[in-house]
Structures are given as structure tokens and as C-alpha cells.
Amino acid sequence: MKNDFHDGVNKGVAPVTYGQGDRPPRGDYSRARADYSCEQDMARYTEADHETYRRLYARQLRQLPGLACQAFIDAVEQLGAPDRIPRFSDISARLSKATGWQIVGVPGLIPEEAFFALLAQRKFPVTDWIRTPEEFDYVVEPDVFHDLFGHVPLLFNPVFADYMQAYGAGGLKASRLDACELLARLYWYTVEFGLIDTPQGLRAYGAGILSSAGELRHAVLSPEPQRIAFDLQRLMRTLYKIDSYQAGYFVIDSFRQLFDATAPDFTPVYAAVRQQPLVEAGIVLDGERCFTPAG
Ligand SMILES: C[C@H](O)[C@H](O)[C@H]1CNc2nc(N)[nH]c(=O)c2N1
Ligand SMILES: N[C@@H](Cc1ccccc1)C(=O)O
Ligand SMILES: [Fe+2]
């Protein structure tokens, strides 16, 4: 099954070939500034675009109870009106009061260094275009719905917001240590496809799960995928596929655990990970703690 969030840039391709293989990037990068941010041009959205956003939002909102973590459910209304693509500056006005973050428009996927640099400044890059009605169930690259609905609500959570900034700062360090691929896996298995264990059972916090119609049920309820306890080094050597539902997920017990696990200097972590074999997604190694799907 295809997930509806596919981030070709995880293959570390150069900005000019973002997306699938050598497909040109979809956005209009000519309007981007040096830091890859661009103004959100509200006039460019058609009524069909607003209708697509309204339909995607309504479908996901209905699914959240029992599947999305409570911090996400509590914050999703901060996106504003559910029936039109919101103005990024309106959300930033609320977000900056909550955690000092703001969202900035970008034409689409941007190079890793630029991405890390924006996160380190508490600026979250939000793609400014939306998928076509034909792509309602699956879009190759992250669009405004994935970035807003998937990523922005948890930026209102102070601990998760601190983790996201630390991730950006860490990414800049990782770039200098040629460890971007290891950090990409950390992003993938936490920010994009992370699960959290709660007294009520497993819940989703990853944006790629929360913005996906099908993967939200798959990740939390299906008996198919493996779900193992968060382990930083194990996660950094676990491969992933970027255009299908995940075969394996990692489970944290709190955002605090995630922040604390990434506080130490990663230099020895990168060295240790590089000495261990890569693992296919969905494999459980001896002694690893597995989680059962939510009831
Ligand atoms: C850092 C990580 O590897 C990841 O692929 C980055 C790269 N560039 C990006 N660019 C945008 N606009 N949005 C993203 O989520 C990402 N992800
Ligand atoms: N603390 C890590 C960087 C990092 C922080 C948070 C998330 C990811 C990476 C280091 O110093 O290398
Ligand atoms: Fe994303």
C-alpha cells in the first residue's frame, strides 16, 4: 500500500532532482529567497485548491480520536478554519506566542542544509502548493496539507517544539560529519512516522501518519507492521521505504524521552552505528521489545 507522503529527498538527491528520480521539482523555486523560503501567495489558490484542503482536513479530523496522540488532537484547531487553506502568517502569530516557532512558505522540498538551518531558527518550512484533486489519496511530494496538518499542530507542544529545534541544530552538525543519512532516518522514524505509547494504548505523533488517510489506521491498528521500542542507534541503522506504508515503526514513551535521547553529542553515536549492519524495516532482532496494536 502506498503511503500518501513520499519524500524523495530522503534519497539525498540534489535539489534540482527532488521528487521521483529525475522528475523536475514541482514548486516554483524561482520565487525562493537564499534560505529557500518564499512568500505564500494566497491569490494563487483556486477554489478547487481550497475544496481539496477542506476535504482532506475533514477526512483526517474524523479519524483522529483513538488514533492520534492527545497533544496533536488538542492543537489541531490552531490551524484555523477547516474549509480554506490558511494564511501562514495567521498561524505563525499563534504559534510564536506558544513556542516561539513560526512557519515559512517554501516552494517544496529543499536541500538538507537549508532545511536544518530553518529548523534551528524555529522556522518550519511549509510547502505552499496543494495536491490536485486527482492526487487526493496519494501525493509524491509533501504538499501544504501534509506540512500543515501533519507537522504544525505538534509545534504547539513545548517539548516537541524544543526537539524540532535541537534536530535542526543537530542536522547542521551532522552535515559537517557527513551523517545526514543517519539523521534522515531519525527524522523519518520520529517526526514523520513516530508512534507513542500511552495509558490508553499506542497513538500516532508522526506527521506522515497523521496526514495519511490509510496509514493512520495501518500504523496504530494493523497487526501487519512491527512496532519496537525507540532505540536511537537501532533506528539510525534501520532502512525505510518512501512510497509505501511502513513495515516497522518505533515507539517512544514521551516527547521528553525523545528530547533527552538526542541531547548528548552524537559523534560517538555515529561511529557506533557505522560499525553495525543495516536492518530492513519490519525486522525484529533478538530481545527487542515489541508493542501490540491499539485495541
Ligand atoms: C532532513 C531530512 O533528510 C529530510 O529529507 C528533509 C529534507 N528537505 C525537506 N524539505 C522540506 N521542504 N520539507 C521536508 O520535510 C524536508 N525533509
Ligand atoms: N545532540 C546531537 C544532535 C541532535 C540533537 C537532536 C536531534 C538530532 C541530533 C549532537 O550533538 O550531535
Ligand atoms: Fe513531513
Side-chain angles (χ1 to χ4, degrees):
M1 287 268 232
K2 284 185 176 305
N3 68 7
D4 67 2
F5 164 65
H6 164 194
D7 182 351
V9 79
N10 277 305
K11 294 288 181 195
V13 295
V16 291
T17 60
Y18 275 156
Q20 211 141 27
D22 57 0
R23 247 173 42 129
R26 183 157 173 173
D28 174 5
Y29 289 74
S30 66
R31 299 187 302 119
R33 306 182 187 94
D35 67 356
Y36 277 86
S37 70
C38 62
E39 278 313 302
Q40 180 191 25
D41 180 354
M42 298 304 288
R44 288 161 72 107
Y45 298 129
T46 64
E47 279 315 303
D49 288 336
H50 290 299
E51 177 65 1
T52 299
Y53 180 86
R54 186 193 66 73
R55 290 175 59 224
L56 286 165
Y57 188 106
R59 180 172 67 171
Q60 276 324 93
L61 192 70
R62 251 196 318 270
Q63 294 208 72
L64 298 181
L67 299 178
C69 68
Q70 195 54 45
F72 182 91
I73 292 177
D74 293 346
V76 70
E77 64 192 17
Q78 298 282 358
L79 294 179
D83 58 345
R84 295 184 75 75
I85 297 170
R87 195 179 290 275
F88 295 175
S89 52
D90 292 349
I91 297 176
S92 293
R94 294 189 285 273
L95 184 58
S96 55
K97 288 197 188 83
T99 57
W101 275 81
Q102 54 185 304
I103 58 179
V104 293
V106 286
L109 294 172
I110 64 177
E112 289 179 327
E113 288 262 350
F115 182 69
F116 294 139
L118 288 172
L119 296 187
Q121 300 165 61
R122 291 196 174 234
K123 292 177 182 172
F124 190 80
V126 176
T127 300
D128 62 358
W129 51 262
I130 193 162
R131 67 192 77 180
T132 62
E134 296 70 37
E135 297 169 300
F136 188 70
D137 285 321
Y138 177 75
V139 59
V140 171
E141 294 171 45
D143 70 342
V144 66
F145 180 74
H146 165 76
D147 283 338
L148 278 186
F149 192 91
H151 285 284
V152 172
L154 283 184
L155 290 174
F156 282 85
N157 176 280
V159 179
F160 193 80
D162 286 350
Y163 169 66
M164 287 295 283
Q165 179 180 22
Y167 180 86
L172 291 171
K173 250 175 101 171
S175 306
R176 295 193 294 276
L177 298 168
D178 195 22
C180 284
E181 194 165 3
L182 302 182
L183 266 224
R185 294 190 189 125
L186 176 57
Y187 193 81
W188 190 264
Y189 281 116
T190 58
V191 180
E192 291 299 357
F193 291 96
L195 295 176
I196 184 166
D197 192 27
T198 80
Q200 293 73 35
L202 279 181
R203 294 292 184 268
Y205 73 90
I209 305 176
L210 289 162
S211 67
S212 162
E215 191 144 7
L216 187 45
R217 285 189 304 279
H218 172 82
V220 178
L221 301 176
S222 165
E224 248 175 72
Q226 297 303 331
R227 301 168 176 92
I228 56 180
F230 173 89
D231 173 309
L232 187 68
Q233 294 191 25
R234 169 69 159 85
L235 171 157
M236 282 189 171
R237 64 193 181 103
T238 305
L239 298 168
Y240 55 83
K241 292 197 176 12
I242 57 178
D243 57 4
S244 59
Y245 287 179
Q246 301 306 303
Y249 298 91
F250 285 86
V251 183
I252 60 174
D253 52 33
S254 67
F255 295 143
R256 174 58 58 197
Q257 176 204 19
L258 185 57
F259 182 82
D260 290 347
T262 57
D265 174 50
F266 274 11
T267 312
V269 170
Y270 297 142
V273 168
R274 287 191 174 114
Q275 280 157 15
Q276 301 170 59
L278 294 176
V279 185
E280 282 297 331
I283 304 286
V284 179
L285 302 178
D286 289 349
E288 288 183 331
R289 178 182 163 209
C290 287
F291 288 75
T292 53

